[in-house]
Amino acid sequence: MGYGSYGSRTSSVGSTAGGPVTYTVTYADVNFSGATLAAGEITLNKTGTANAGTVSVSGTGSTRTVTLGGTTGNGTLGISIAAGTAGDAAGNLAPAAGPSQTFTVVNIGTQTLTFGALAGITYGDAATVTLGATASSGLPVSYTLLSGPATLSGNVLTITGAGTIVVQATQGGNSVISAATPVSQSLVVAKKGLTVTAQPASRVYGQANPAFTAVLSGFVLGETSAVVSGPAGLTTPATTASSPGGYAITPAVGSLGAANYSFTTFTPGVL
């Protein structure tokens, strides 16, 4: 007997995620007398991780429909048919046939990003921060600097000043994994505290107080008072009528200002 085409796929798609996909099996012998094709006589031809959860056969006469359902994984699927699934009037059995035309199974997986909170630092404590987000897929993570005083190269954040830095982690996926939802984290870089020390001064009884001065200390990264604007506030209770003796010169913030420093410790001097 003859064994006709069974490779045409009646599904209109060349790829699928979960199916179903059907094949038409036609027994073309002019003396065809009957077919006994069953699911157990069909072999799946698989590549990659592609598979079918169900295989079923339907139809009557010389035409049968093989349906593959519940497809999973990624790769290609096709079928082959065992010998002896049909016969002719003379008792001849159909030979084995295959492999058929294949179709592509594409199942897009999902992934999530884990990007933990970034511990705050103080300006000058660390020049760089290494970012450590991970994707559940194991694919590499990319980063984008959204805002703040820093530069970014790969997963290394270089701190350039005090303030709030916002970084976004992304993973764009691939042919079998969808893109992850981006995750953003903030890194707070606190200003470095400076000490304001009033310098000692003196004058003769009855004269006006001299101009007081203060020294700033605690700078980092080789910086100096050149990065600070304005004078400190410096006061004393002594007046021209005060008796001779020592009087405190008390420092305060006054008009001091700096982008990356605050003024946290104040050491008095003596007049």
Side-chain angles (χ1 to χ4, degrees):
M1 68 173 288
Y3 191 81
S5 170
Y6 70 98
S8 61
R9 184 173 58 251
T10 58
S11 171
S12 62
V13 297
S15 64
T16 184
V21 173
T22 59
Y23 285 91
T24 299
V25 179
T26 302
Y27 297 96
D29 192 276
V30 294
N31 295 313
F32 171 83
S33 64
T36 59
L37 180 62
E41 295 169 307
I42 297 169
T43 299
L44 295 178
N45 303 318
K46 301 178 282 189
T47 66
T49 59
N51 203 357
T54 61
V55 179
S56 61
V57 179
S58 61
T60 60
S62 61
T63 301
R64 296 290 189 271
T65 299
V66 176
T67 302
L68 308 183
T71 54
T72 58
N74 294 278
T76 62
L77 283 178
I79 62 172
S80 293
I81 297 177
T85 60
D88 63 11
N92 298 310
L93 297 179
S100 70
Q101 175 189 1
T102 61
F103 62 93
T104 302
V105 181
V106 179
N107 279 284
I108 301 298
T110 60
Q111 61 175 332
T112 57
L113 285 176
T114 300
F115 189 16
L118 302 174
I121 61 174
T122 298
Y123 177 71
D125 284 356
T128 61
V129 173
T130 300
L131 305 173
T134 59
S136 60
S137 63
L139 295 172
V141 176
S142 298
Y143 300 93
T144 302
L145 176 62
L146 299 182
S147 61
T151 60
L152 179 65
S153 177
N155 68 331
V156 178
L157 196 64
T158 299
I159 309 302
T160 59
T164 299
I165 301 166
V166 182
V167 181
Q168 185 180 75
T170 58
Q171 212 307 305
N174 57 23
S175 61
V176 295
I177 299 290
S178 61
T181 300
V183 179
S184 296
Q185 291 290 359
S186 297
L187 172 64
V188 177
V189 182
K191 291 185 175 185
K192 177 70 174 179
L194 295 180
T195 297
V196 183
T197 302
Q199 296 300 285
S202 63
R203 67 171 173 82
V204 175
Y205 171 74
Q207 292 183 346
N209 291 330
F212 300 133
T213 60
V215 172
L216 305 177
S217 59
F219 293 99
V220 294
L221 304 177
E223 294 176 335
T224 68
S225 58
V227 300
V228 178
S229 62
L234 296 161
T235 58
T236 182
T239 67
T240 55
S242 297
S243 301
Y247 294 85
I249 303 172
T250 303
V253 172
S255 299
L256 292 172
N260 299 319
Y261 295 93
S262 59
F263 308 93
T264 56
T265 303
F266 299 90
T267 303
V270 176
L271 171 64

